[in-house]
Amino acid sequence: PEIECKVVDPETWEEVPDGVNGEFVARGYNIMKGYYKMPDATFKTVDENGWLHSGDLLMRDERGCFVATGRLKDMIIRGGENISAREVDDDVMGWDQIVDHATIGMPDERLGERICLFAVPADPNGEELCLHDLLEYMDGKGIAKRLWPERLEVIDKIPRTATGKVQRFVLAKEIKHRMGIED
């Protein structure tokens, strides 16, 4: 009672219908008013109406239950289109030429970001991984072209936390380095 929760479009803050991904927001007596002596951090997290923006991507199902789908920070924004890095990761799973992978948004002057896949080859001494082969695999699975990576980067090991979560910020720094972009 007295706690409000909803899923909103991260750009417009308008509530989205059931079955649509968006950012989870909440307000009520149990929600913090802000960060102690950190007005900038508070401004980025709690809006003027008291809604706490969690940064978590969720969707509400037909029963009214919230289902976690990812993190807003893991969202790739290409030309105004939101693409879930997790969704691309799920689509690539099963490609037998790799043993591990992670998707990130790589910088792009015109579109803001593009899809980049870091992958660990199944046979490091074998044939070089090829973007064309990956796209052929995704096409064969019927994956929408808007979810196809535009760059494939080979890496020895995907950086992870002690709990196994992909450290996408490390990969973001790595792609900038490989593209010759200073941080």
Side-chain angles (χ1 to χ4, degrees):
E2 299 179 40
I3 308 298
E4 297 175 86
C5 300
K6 63 183 179 178
V7 179
V8 300
D9 181 301
E11 292 180 20
T12 65
W13 292 2
E14 295 292 320
E15 190 167 4
V16 297
D18 290 353
V20 175
N21 272 330
E23 183 181 19
F24 179 76
V25 297
R27 72 178 173 186
Y29 67 88
N30 65 333
I31 301 297
M32 70 175 191
K33 300 296 180 214
Y35 292 102
Y36 182 68
K37 293 187 179 181
M38 297 172 63
D40 290 341
T42 298
F43 178 75
K44 291 178 185 175
T45 307
V46 181
D47 68 26
E48 65 274 0
N49 295 317
W51 289 101
L52 175 88
H53 291 256
S54 69
D56 293 317
L57 291 174
L58 280 78
M59 68 171 206
R60 190 177 46 234
D61 67 16
E62 66 281 349
R63 298 170 302 153
C65 296
F66 294 102
V67 179
T69 59
R71 291 280 301 152
L72 193 56
K73 290 179 184 175
D74 297 341
M75 188 67 68
I76 299 166
I77 303 172
R78 180 181 60 202
E81 176 186 24
N82 293 339
I83 300 167
S84 166
R86 181 178 173 193
E87 186 176 0
V88 177
D89 283 342
D90 290 349
D91 290 339
V92 172
M93 205 174 299
W95 188 35
D96 61 3
Q97 293 187 28
I98 61 175
V99 292
D100 199 7
H101 65 281
T103 305
I104 64 163
M106 66 179 175
D108 183 79
E109 259 186 50
R110 189 172 64 85
L111 295 175
E113 290 182 306
R114 290 185 183 269
I115 302 171
C116 176
L117 180 79
F118 275 89
V120 178
D123 181 5
N125 301 319
E127 197 173 311
E128 188 74 25
L129 290 181
C130 171
L131 180 62
H132 175 76
D133 293 343
L134 170 61
L135 299 183
E136 230 175 51
Y137 167 79
M138 293 181 83
D139 191 32
K141 283 184 67 178
I143 308 295
K145 287 186 179 184
R146 69 178 200 80
L147 300 174
W148 291 9
E150 296 164 78
R151 185 168 177 155
L152 173 63
E153 291 290 323
V154 175
I155 195 166
D156 294 332
K157 184 178 179 183
I158 299 296
R160 297 182 183 275
T161 65
T163 59
K165 184 176 178 187
V166 173
Q167 293 180 313
R168 294 185 200 275
F169 71 94
V170 173
L171 296 174
K173 285 178 101 169
E174 179 63 22
I175 194 62
K176 285 180 181 177
H177 172 73
R178 291 183 184 196
M179 293 173 74
I181 300 171
E182 294 199 26
D183 225 358

